[in-house]
Amino acid sequence: MPIVELHVLEGYGPEDKRRLGEALTDAVRFVVPAPPEAITVMIHEMPTEDYYRGRTQRSGAPALPDPKELVHSYLAAMEARDLPAATAMLGEGFVMQFPGAAPMTELQELIDWAAPRYRFVTKTYEGFDAMQSEGAPALVYCRGTLAGEWPHGTAFEGIRFIDRFEVNGGKITRQDVWNDIAEVKGKA
């Protein structure tokens, strides 16, 4: 039964601690073949007045937003065509790549590119997966199916998709999209 002890400065809320506990449990499971209920995570808080680094009393950094929740909120804003809300979630140097398209850096480019391809698209999510590697952005994959309407008004559904996002500093900096829309449209 693995036991992980973590010391954090006080000030992190219950949601931040829940996310830490889940992330540490998942990290242990990458190496140790243990079910989640066999892994114990203990989080100890340290008062900030007891923390020094470089002879200076310091405070902890605020928790980053959950990258899965950030991506889900972004996708919801895009589906609602709330471009200002979606744009607010994007970081400097944002780029997105869709099948058969040149890289795009502005959300309006995507809207314009998609206009002759379909009237609208909605997503049904099967899951979101997030991971972090040393020195790299957080990665979020979401997967599921697309439904919508072709330009001539015929409905479609059940088209597989996977989106990959890079999240740096709580902002989305890259989106890569893979889906079967061209294959299904070719048969429509």
Side-chain angles (χ1 to χ4, degrees), residues 34-93:
E37 60 274 8
I39 300 167
T40 301
V41 175
M42 292 185 270
I43 300 175
H44 306 282
E45 284 189 308
M46 290 179 45
T48 55
E49 63 266 7
D50 293 342
Y51 174 64
Y52 288 81
R53 188 176 70 234
R55 296 183 178 175
T56 303
Q57 189 175 24
R58 305 204 186 242
S59 297
L64 292 170
D66 183 335
K68 289 190 290 190
E69 291 300 319
L70 175 68
V71 165
H72 195 267
S73 295
Y74 165 78
L75 292 170
M78 287 299 294
E79 188 171 313
R81 288 299 183 254
D82 187 350
L83 298 187
T87 300
M89 298 177 221
L90 304 179
E92 187 175 328

Side-chain angles (χ1 to χ4, degrees), residues 77-159:
M78 287 299 294
E79 188 171 313
R81 288 299 183 254
D82 187 350
L83 298 187
T87 300
M89 298 177 221
L90 304 179
E92 187 175 328
F94 171 75
V95 65
M96 59 186 146
Q97 182 76 58
F98 282 71
M104 296 176 257
T105 59
E106 301 289 331
L107 298 180
Q108 189 60 49
E109 289 178 274
L110 171 61
I111 303 300
D112 296 342
W113 172 81
R117 291 168 172 73
Y118 43 80
R119 285 188 181 171
F120 70 89
V121 169
T122 61
K123 294 182 174 184
T124 300
Y125 302 107
E126 293 174 6
F128 287 78
D129 301 302
M131 60 201 76
Q132 183 78 52
S133 296
E134 182 180 350
L139 299 178
V140 178
Y141 287 87
C142 69
R143 63 198 181 288
T145 58
L146 304 173
E149 195 172 281
W150 299 120
H152 58 278
T154 304
F156 64 84
E157 64 180 7
I159 298 174

